[in-house]
Amino acid sequence: MSDIRLTGITKRYTRHAAPAVDDVSVTVRDGEFFVLLGPSGCGKTTLLRTIAGLEQADAGTVHLGDRDVTGLPPRRRDIAMVFQGYAVFPHLTVAENIGFGLAMRKAPKQEIAEAVEYAAGLVRLDDVLDRYPSALSGGQRQRVAVARAVAVRPSVLLMDEPLSNLDALLRLSFRSDLKALAKELNTTIVYVTHDQVEALSLGDRVAVMRAGEIVQCGTPMEVYDRPATRFVGGFLGTPPMNLLPVRRAQDGWTAAGEPFAVPEEHADRVGDELWAGIRAENIEPSTTEVPGALPARVRLVEPLGSQLLVSVTVGDESVKLLTPTDFPAGDDSRLWLRVPPERVRWFDPASERALDGTDRAGTDRAGAAVSSG
Amino acid sequence: MAEAVTEAPVVAAERRGGPQRWLPYLLLAPSVAYLLIFFASPMIQAFGLAFTSTTGEWGLGSIRAMLGDDRFWPAVWTTVILLVVLLPLQFALAMAMSMVITSRLRGSGLWLYVFLLPLGVSELGAGILWYSIFVEQGWLNTVLQSLGLIDRPVIWLDYREPWRVIGTIVVAEAWRSTSLIVIILVGGLRAIPRDYLEAADVFHAGPWQRMRHVVLPMMRPTIRTALIVRTVLAFEVFATVIALGGTGTDVLATQANRAYTEYQDAHLASAYGLVILLVSLVAVGIILVALPTRKERGE
Amino acid sequence: MTARRVLGYGGAVLLAGWVLVPIWFVVVGAFSTADAVYSYPLAAWPDWSLESMRFFVTSAGVPQALLSSVIVAVLTGVVTLLLAAPAGYALARFVFPGADAYRLAVLSTRAFPVVVLSIPLAVFFLQWGIYDTVWGVALMHTALALPFVVLMVSAVFAGVPVDLEEAAQVFGCSRFGAFRRAVVPNAAPGLAAAATFAVLLSYNEVFAASILTLQQPTLPVFVLTGLTQAPLPFRYAGALFLLAPAFLFILLIRRRLLGVGGGPTLR
């Protein structure tokens, strides 16, 4: 086990294009399950591969524990990795695959056998040890890849979208398995995914990346409830966070022509427009008029099984909300939406950043500094 | 050779029956007919020729004449020795070139182009090229003498020194035909997903371990294909031998050619042809036994 | 890391030298005067004289041999492609009983040496009256090239998405129309490369051509027969004539070379 300290990591693939990773500094704590989340092309995999040593950064340093591993090849870093395509060697048996890392370290046979047994047990592969990968299902191969990584008892375990090649049902059950495994291992894990649900459910902390930078880093609930930027609010959550423009009028602030309360400290700070970020599940709809609520008209109702996803318009703005399945929302009917002020996340339209200042280092109360850009 | 069969992916299955069913056979028919007439039938005829004498009687007359030829056994040995010396040399060279091409060195496209330049070179062209190097007043002696390594020109193509001549033929063939192996090996190396190599790196394998435990096992079918292709071709080496060895060095192919063009004996020439076929098949058999395909277990 | 890179570049340069330096020697030899070719030690730089080349091209028999070679090569290329294209297409697009057997048969032709093939063919051609003609040699070369070209062409067709063809059919083309309008334009560069392969194989081939000709030798046969008596400038200029198309060929199809996977065996 060890922590990972990245300082000023920058990586460019082509000289004149924008960097894949742009001056990222972040510390992953010892024993933490750390998720790098972002859309494709955001640099999360590049960052992971830089930790692995599969890519050399153009600038910046990588520390694993007390060791500066910046220039070291992967095999000298004491890491292990689960590859997206698994990379389970087709010419080796399951047992040989799991023992591969230790065999390369020239560990004694007995030790390899024990490690294989232990790792195979963790992922329930005990009865297929003598088979070749071609005789395994996709899910089993994925577990071989995990076992191979676990068997070397790395101080850092890296995972590159390990669930993305599985079908939806398997993915769900493997996600729970992975979480249990991580608890059992208690090792430092860096996990790359583009799936926000995976990120939120697995991570102790989640770093949301965009265009080579870490936009926000915090616990899953922090990132979800208190997105630092409009992008994070939109990227996490299904549906994405609603953004309602709120404008300064002669007698206070209005949204879609209706009065809308803006906290004092924001009202003083900015210009004539703000964005109110509101999660769909935090909107309280009513079929009867409520004082102070925003009038809305239902455009579309989509049953999701456990909830209804209702699309409405407020003035010219479209808003999505989630309601219980028995909520009587008919097409084109009128609704009144109450938004609890404490549930509103305020953004500055110019910078698209949240206004309360807790977005960046503030979410990182334990002191692991995050900066980027 | 069977694994090469799978190399051409069948994109779509035509599952319709009816009038479409005979279409593929119709499309194959011309090439099948052609190969029957111009490949299979002469192949069979070769046996007919070898086992008849010039007077047309069946028997071992031509075979006996061949075995009785003073030049027969030297030709067999030279052919086999050429192969035995050439193959390991070529594979080492080809592996080194393939590693350069697939490495992350700058300009890998350029290296590829350079290493494959001899791919289309004819035996005769390469033979004359290396003749200009090995001839007494040629490039090799010029270079060696200007470096002060020799005092006066060495006669490399000395027909009283068969080993020396064979050495020059090996060098010329290594230069000419290594690129064929390179192309096959690079194909095999590129077919190894990068993930596997990276997984080897991550799991503590050094460069040599990676080569031994990951690259070579995964290239096994490729190496086998390359071995077979090169071995069969090496038994047919002909113009290089004449260009460098003149009439003083014999291999099986030059003997076959001489039997036909000089002695005008198609029967004797066919007998030599069959010997080449025989050693080829034996060599291919040895390769197949030595490097058995494991059951397909690719992902 | 850096030490290994230096080693890598050093090795790469050495290997490139092994390939390129001999080629330079033949260029120097072909573009030097007879005096320079016969002098010793040799000069590393040619005097760019066309004397040797002129001598070679105007030697008795060379123009005819060159012409024969070109005709044979073109015939081989055309006939091979006409036979291989339908077969390659069938292999790429249809799944049918016998496809694997056909592939295996085509592949196994590699195990049979040309030497065995050419002598009975010479006997046949004598009977058929095409011995010592460009057609005889071209038919033989086609038999040699066909197995490889079938596999190359099949890979080329397999590389054209079947969607394109189906889309063409959906939008009103007949099966052949779809082939012509959707497949051929996309496959053309690959087909050209495959045909070029056959052309070069024919241009280079010397054993069978020497068996099958007498008065109408191809260029390599002509050079080979006179080789032991030929003066050095003739040999070196001849070598350049034999080598130049090969380098041109690699230049033209270098992008496709790797797709062939063990296909090309050039002689």
Side-chain angles (χ1 to χ4, degrees):
Chain A
M1 285 194 292
S2 59
D3 59 355
I4 306 169
R5 269 173 295 130
L6 304 179
T7 320
I9 297 289
T10 299
K11 173 74 185 176
R12 274 170 212 274
Y13 286 109
T14 41
R15 200 166 303 168
H16 301 294
V21 173
D22 192 359
D23 193 18
V24 168
S25 298
V26 66
T27 298
V28 180
R29 292 171 209 137
D30 195 359
E32 181 176 42
F33 198 126
F34 189 84
V35 178
L36 291 169
L37 171 70
S40 64
C42 71
K44 57 192 189 298
T45 295
T46 303
L47 194 59
L48 185 83
R49 291 167 60 84
T50 308
I51 301 174
L54 292 169
E55 305 282 354
Q56 293 296 335
D58 300 324
T61 57
V62 182
H63 283 81
L64 301 185
D66 303 330
R67 299 180 302 141
D68 181 354
V69 299
T70 309
L72 292 183
R75 67 174 189 282
R76 302 212 194 289
R77 292 194 175 195
D78 191 23
I79 50 155
M81 183 160 167
V82 178
F83 289 81
Q84 185 174 8
Y86 313 148
V88 171
F89 299 117
H91 60 286
L92 302 180
T93 62
V94 169
E96 287 166 341
N97 263 293
I98 298 177
F100 186 83
L102 289 170
M104 292 302 106
R105 289 170 168 83
K106 302 212 159 55
K109 284 219 165 62
Q110 181 60 31
E111 185 188 331
I112 297 178
E114 281 165 13
V116 169
E117 196 183 339
Y118 163 74
L122 277 182
V123 296
R124 303 187 309 277
L125 282 172
D126 319 69
D127 44 355
V128 294
L129 283 176
D130 293 329
R131 294 208 197 148
Y132 284 96
S134 61
L136 302 183
S137 67
Q140 284 173 314
R141 276 180 223 169
Q142 197 268 357
R143 271 145 53 197
V144 175
V146 171
R148 178 174 63 183
V150 169
V152 296
R153 299 192 179 258
S155 50
V156 170
L157 177 54
L158 307 173
M159 298 196 182
D160 185 9
E161 308 225 16
L163 301 182
S164 64
N165 285 352
L166 299 174
D167 59 50
L169 263 180
L170 268 183
R171 202 178 306 170
L172 202 66
S173 77
F174 276 41
R175 204 173 72 202
S176 319
D177 290 352
L178 263 185
K179 185 147 191 171
L181 182 75
K183 269 196 180 135
E184 164 92 23
L185 291 175
N186 196 27
T187 187
T188 312
I189 297 177
V190 182
Y191 184 105
V192 161
T193 182
H194 65 269
D195 182 331
Q196 41 137 342
V197 183
E198 252 172 54
L200 296 177
S201 64
L202 286 171
D204 293 327
R205 276 195 308 155
V206 176
V208 185
M209 289 190 71
R210 183 195 195 187
E213 298 179 1
I214 292 182
V215 190
Q216 187 177 8
C217 181
T219 67
M221 288 327 286
E222 277 168 351
V223 195
Y224 183 80
D225 282 339
R226 307 175 61 79
T229 68
R230 174 199 176 171
F231 167 77
V232 176
F235 190 71
L236 277 96
T238 318
M241 183 177 255
N242 292 301
L243 280 179
L244 202 57
V246 181
R247 295 187 181 85
R248 195 192 293 274
Q250 282 169 338
D251 47 352
W253 294 81
T254 60
E258 299 294 323
F260 200 90
V262 173
E264 288 281 327
E265 68 265 33
H266 301 327
D268 297 342
R269 223 166 97 173
V270 290
D272 290 343
E273 184 170 326
L274 286 174
W275 282 338
I278 311 154
R279 289 280 180 208
E281 64 271 25
N282 292 338
I283 297 173
E284 296 166 7
S286 160
T287 48
T288 52
E289 189 166 356
V290 180
L294 296 167
R297 187 169 289 279
V298 176
R299 287 289 166 230
L300 200 64
V301 180
E302 298 167 67
L304 300 181
S306 58
Q307 281 171 306
L308 295 181
L309 175 60
V310 184
S311 303
V312 301
T313 48
V314 177
D316 293 333
E317 305 297 328
S318 63
V319 168
K320 287 178 189 281
L321 51 138
L322 290 165
T323 70
T325 47
D326 56 359
F327 186 78
D331 281 0
D332 222 30
S333 64
R334 283 177 66 87
L335 292 181
W336 283 264
L337 311 180
R338 203 185 83 82
V339 180
E342 72 279 9
R343 292 293 198 174
V344 178
R345 186 81 176 147
W346 293 98
F347 296 95
D348 172 7
S351 67
E352 303 199 347
R353 298 201 169 183
L355 282 176
D356 64 357
T358 59
D359 48 330
R360 324 257 304 156
T363 56
D364 223 28
R365 263 160 254 147
V370 170
S371 74
S372 59
Chain B
M1 285 191 241
E3 58 278 355
V5 172
T6 55
E7 277 168 19
V10 175
V11 167
E14 188 77 17
R15 288 193 185 81
R16 275 178 290 170
Q20 295 286 354
R21 208 182 305 156
W22 44 260
L23 186 55
Y25 298 103
L26 195 72
L27 294 171
L28 290 187
S31 60
V32 170
Y34 194 92
L35 287 175
L36 281 178
I37 298 171
F38 291 100
F39 209 105
S41 87
M43 226 19 113
I44 294 162
Q45 179 67 12
F47 285 87
L49 282 171
F51 290 104
T52 52
S53 64
T54 37
T55 54
E57 285 167 45
W58 284 89
L60 298 176
S62 300
I63 308 285
R64 240 180 253 125
M66 173 182 72
L67 294 174
D69 190 337
D70 290 345
R71 293 176 149 187
F72 174 72
W73 286 109
V76 172
W77 286 121
T78 310
T79 308
V80 172
I81 288 165
L82 268 179
L83 176 80
V84 170
V85 180
L86 193 53
L87 266 192
L89 186 69
Q90 284 198 315
F91 266 83
L93 264 177
M95 206 63 203
M97 289 178 174
S98 314
M99 299 310 283
V100 170
I101 291 168
T102 51
S103 70
R104 290 195 222 168
L105 295 183
R106 249 163 231 265
S108 74
L110 181 72
W111 300 121
L112 173 77
Y113 178 54
V114 169
F115 295 157
L116 291 189
L117 267 179
L119 184 69
V121 165
S122 64
E123 264 191 68
L124 182 59
I128 302 176
L129 190 165
W130 283 92
Y131 176 84
S132 78
I133 292 172
F134 285 122
V135 73
E136 192 180 348
Q137 304 197 330
W139 293 105
L140 183 59
N141 283 333
T142 298
V143 170
L144 290 179
Q145 202 161 353
S146 70
L147 293 175
L149 294 173
I150 52 172
D151 301 330
R152 54 199 169 78
V154 176
I155 306 175
W156 300 103
L157 301 170
D158 185 341
Y159 306 121
R160 290 156 303 177
E161 300 257 7
W163 286 109
R164 225 180 253 182
V165 180
I166 292 175
T168 64
I169 297 169
V170 166
V171 172
E173 277 293 287
W175 180 83
R176 182 185 74 88
S177 61
T178 298
S179 48
L180 175 63
I181 306 177
V182 172
I183 207 173
I184 300 174
L185 291 187
V186 168
L189 278 174
R190 294 227 166 133
I192 300 178
R194 231 176 90 179
D195 272 6
Y196 290 126
L197 305 180
E198 293 185 341
D201 281 348
V202 165
F203 289 101
H204 234 261
W208 285 113
Q209 285 177 309
R210 188 172 83 169
M211 180 58 96
R212 222 193 101 205
H213 294 286
V214 179
V215 176
L216 286 181
M218 298 197 74
M219 293 229 342
R220 202 184 167 98
T222 312
I223 289 172
R224 207 171 67 150
T225 306
L227 265 175
I228 290 173
V229 168
R230 245 333 277 164
T231 303
V232 171
L233 289 176
F235 285 130
E236 298 183 62
V237 58
F238 169 65
T240 320
V241 176
I242 295 184
L244 287 166
T247 50
T249 309
D250 299 318
V251 291
L252 287 168
T254 59
Q255 282 293 90
N257 195 269
R258 179 176 296 132
Y260 190 84
T261 55
E262 279 181 30
Y263 312 155
Q264 268 112 45
D265 186 345
H267 304 273
L268 182 61
S270 279
Y272 271 107
L274 288 191
V275 174
I276 296 177
L277 180 60
L278 185 71
V279 288
S280 297
L281 293 181
V282 168
V284 169
I286 292 173
I287 294 167
L288 290 180
V289 171
L291 292 172
T293 7
R294 307 181 189 202
K295 276 192 178 170
E296 285 295 308
R297 43 175 100 109
E299 291 195 26
Chain C
M1 273 318 254
T2 36
R4 282 190 59 205
R5 284 190 88 73
V6 169
L7 205 71
Y9 280 113
V13 169
L14 268 181
L15 290 169
W18 153 253
V19 172
L20 291 176
V21 171
I23 295 177
W24 175 244
F25 287 158
V26 88
V27 170
V28 174
F31 289 105
S32 295
T33 56
D35 290 346
V37 168
Y38 281 111
S39 67
Y40 181 85
L42 293 160
W45 201 254
D47 35 25
W48 298 118
S49 149
L50 290 177
E51 186 188 317
S52 299
M53 299 297 273
R54 209 176 293 126
F55 171 56
F56 177 78
V57 175
T58 55
S59 295
V62 168
Q64 296 91 313
L66 187 57
L67 186 65
S68 293
S69 262
V70 171
I71 294 174
V72 168
V74 170
L75 284 177
T76 304
V78 171
V79 177
T80 308
L81 194 60
L82 286 178
L83 289 167
Y89 182 78
L91 290 181
R93 282 290 191 266
F94 297 91
V95 172
F96 56 98
D100 284 344
Y102 179 89
R103 272 208 192 86
L104 197 66
V106 159
L107 270 171
S108 62
T109 57
R110 274 184 205 172
F112 294 95
V114 200
V115 179
V116 195
L117 210 56
S118 26
I119 290 147
L121 272 183
V123 177
F124 287 169
F125 287 176
L126 274 169
Q127 290 166 3
W128 300 346
I130 53 170
Y131 184 79
D132 200 20
T133 64
V134 285
W135 270 106
V137 184
L139 289 175
M140 166 78 206
H141 286 172
T142 301
L144 291 182
L146 187 56
F148 297 110
V149 175
V150 165
L151 297 181
M152 290 167 82
V153 165
S154 134
V156 169
F157 283 133
V160 178
V162 75
D163 292 2
L164 293 180
E165 212 174 333
E166 288 174 348
Q169 282 178 292
V170 167
F171 292 108
C173 284
S174 67
R175 173 131 210 158
F176 181 74
F179 174 76
R180 198 170 62 78
R181 284 164 194 279
V183 180
V184 170
N186 289 294
L191 296 180
T196 317
F197 165 81
V199 167
L200 188 68
L201 181 143
S202 165
Y203 187 83
N204 282 348
E205 206 284 331
V206 61
F207 187 97
S210 88
I211 296 278
L212 294 176
T213 58
L214 215 55
Q215 308 293 323
Q216 306 281 329
T218 58
L219 187 67
V221 175
F222 185 83
V223 173
L224 183 75
T225 357
L227 195 61
T228 39
Q229 289 89 39
L232 291 184
F234 180 89
R235 297 189 195 201
Y236 296 169
L240 192 71
F241 261 85
L242 292 174
L243 295 176
F247 300 142
L248 202 67
F249 164 76
I250 300 294
L251 188 67
L252 286 176
I253 71 162
R254 66 180 187 284
R255 296 247 169 80
R256 328 200 126 256
L257 280 172
L258 288 172
V260 178
T265 41
L266 301 158
R267 348 199 73 252

